Amino acid sequence: MSGRFALTATPEQTAAFLGLAELEAFPARYNIAPTQPVLMALAGPPRAPGSNLPDRQAMLVRWGLIPAWVKDTREFPLLFNARSEGAAEKASFKTAMRHRRALVPASGFYEWQQAGAGAAGQPYWIRPRHSGLIAFAGLIETYAEPGGSEMDTGAILTARASSGIAHIHDRMPVVIEERDFARWLDCRTQEPRDVLDLLRPAHPDFFEAIPVSDLVNKVANTGPEIQERGIVGPQPGKVRRQKPGADDSQMTLF
């Protein structure tokens, strides 16, 4: 998965989908990028006996997980994706896998199909065929800065791409189905090993991929026009551009 996705549903639709009491108003976001605030939902404190309130809570986290043990963030890569295959054992993610599993609401994501050296990558808007919201598997880590302040950070888990989009990229975000929300979020009784079966590629027909223009390459472009169908033509002789969503401090794990 690349470092861009979108959330264009209303706060009311998003809250209902995630099983939250309510959400503060927020605008449609068409081009969410690493280091920006990302909405995540996680299990809340136990409910009082007889309470009918939702047992989930929403958080805004910085997209780019920082493990608690990091001493100098300037020397640590930005972990906005995490390979699901080894997340339960990898030092950067194992604590969050055990204690802070989350759901990341999304309307879809973007990926770039590379065409070889000297050619521009073709971006795709990849969305569920049934439309509506989906939830990526997320992880949250609270990082205590040297000055004493705390920052909530997060990452999105990825899996190998399903055959429907493997021709574009070999990785994709893990999608947690609605029926599995409670089990994924239950860090009290469900060990990481108990939820590994949820970390799988989506069905090959789940997503549809729509070629779009290179407007999405710029984080400053945040309107719905970036999802309109378009083709990026060959640009021979150009230096291969860096993959959108990454710079010298932004590294994926695949």
Side-chain angles (χ1 to χ4, degrees):
M1 175 189 170
S2 182
R4 302 288 177 85
F5 70 100
L7 174 59
T8 59
T10 67
E12 293 77 17
Q13 291 169 330
T14 306
F17 176 66
L18 295 174
L20 299 167
E22 61 181 356
L23 287 170
E24 293 185 7
F26 59 80
R29 300 178 66 191
Y30 291 90
N31 198 4
I32 302 172
T35 73
Q36 293 180 353
V38 171
L39 176 67
M40 294 194 182
L42 69 166
R47 292 173 295 181
S51 172
N52 60 358
L53 294 175
D55 60 352
R56 296 171 191 166
Q57 62 186 35
M59 290 182 66
L60 275 179
V61 308
R62 190 198 75 149
W63 188 15
L65 187 143
I66 305 175
W69 45 262
V70 171
K71 301 298 183 183
D72 186 352
T73 58
R74 295 171 300 180
E75 298 180 0
F76 194 78
L78 185 66
L79 305 179
F80 54 87
N81 292 160
R83 278 182 174 266
S84 60
E85 294 87 346
E89 293 79 33
K90 193 171 182 63
S92 296
F93 306 114
K94 64 181 181 180
T95 300
M97 272 291 291
R98 175 64 188 88
H99 299 290
R100 289 174 292 276
R101 298 191 297 268
L103 298 169
V104 185
S107 302
F109 65 101
Y110 302 95
E111 191 52 84
W112 281 256
Q113 183 182 48
Q114 296 303 320
Q122 171 64 54
Y124 284 84
W125 164 235
I126 301 175
R127 66 184 183 187
R129 291 184 185 277
H130 61 70
S131 298
L133 281 164
I134 53 175
F136 300 146
L139 299 174
I140 294 176
E141 186 69 87
T142 300
Y143 178 72
E145 298 179 294
S149 61
E150 292 187 340
M151 175 172 55
D152 296 316
T153 68
I156 293 172
L157 288 156
T158 68
R160 61 178 177 80
S162 60
S163 59
I165 63 171
H167 64 289
I168 299 173
H169 197 279
D170 62 352
R171 304 292 295 180
M172 68 187 301
V174 171
V175 175
I176 302 295
E177 297 185 28
E178 241 181 302
R179 65 173 181 265
D180 297 317
F181 282 4
R183 184 155 69 96
W184 172 250
L185 295 178
D186 182 5
C187 296
R188 299 188 186 95
T189 67
Q190 300 290 307
E191 298 280 346
R193 64 175 178 270
D194 299 324
V195 295
L196 290 181
D197 62 297
L198 302 180
L199 303 180
R200 58 181 182 268
H203 188 275
D205 294 328
F206 184 83
F207 285 112
E208 62 178 344
I210 301 168
V212 294
S213 75
D214 59 2
L215 287 174
V216 68
N217 292 6
K218 295 183 178 180
V219 177
N221 294 330
T222 58
E225 65 277 3
I226 69 174
Q227 293 180 355
E228 295 176 1
R229 187 177 294 271
I231 300 295
V232 176
Q235 301 178 42
K238 290 191 69 174
V239 176
R240 180 172 177 158
R241 72 174 59 186
Q242 191 175 32
K243 187 175 182 179
D247 59 28
D248 290 343
S249 65
Q250 298 178 349
M251 298 172 62
T252 63
L253 297 186
F254 47 85

